Amino acid sequence: MSSMSSYGFEVQVNGEQLCRAGIDSGRHVVTCILDALRRLNEPDELRLSVSGLNSVTDEYPEWVNQKLKDGDTITIKVITQDFETPHRIRPAISKEKMLENKLQYYYQLREELKGHLG
């Protein structure tokens, strides 16, 4: 295989194909994430998400975001062609919004850590 190939993932749950996720651009990331989440006083959650980042357009494609259940079988196959259009594309975050998010996080951390700062 050529190093110029775009790689992606064909994802199936219990034998049913959910997507053929991939991005045809010079710089990108495609991820398949399985979460088993347990929180205090909330129901357990099992999730599968397939998403990515097109670094050329700064867009965030999403192919799959669904709940799983005990016994589900997930199959992920590496593919290099015939990618499907994502179900959703989140637009780029503006520099202003990114700065606002960072400042909000900074103030939150500063408050949480105030007893530990010199």
Side-chain angles (χ1 to χ4, degrees), residues 53-69:
L53 166 63
N54 183 333
S55 298
V56 174
T57 63
D58 285 331
E59 293 176 322
Y60 298 85
E62 296 177 349
W63 289 268
V64 175
N65 186 0
Q66 77 170 49
K67 290 185 176 182
L68 297 170
K69 63 186 183 313

Side-chain angles (χ1 to χ4, degrees), residues 108-118:
Q108 178 186 338
L109 279 177
R110 190 175 72 176
E111 182 64 25
E112 285 177 26
L113 299 173
K114 67 182 174 189
H116 303 283
L117 299 175

Side-chain angles (χ1 to χ4, degrees), residues 20 31 65 81 90 100 103:
R20 291 181 59 85
T31 61
N65 186 0
Q81 59 189 13
R90 290 186 295 123
E100 179 184 319
L103 282 169

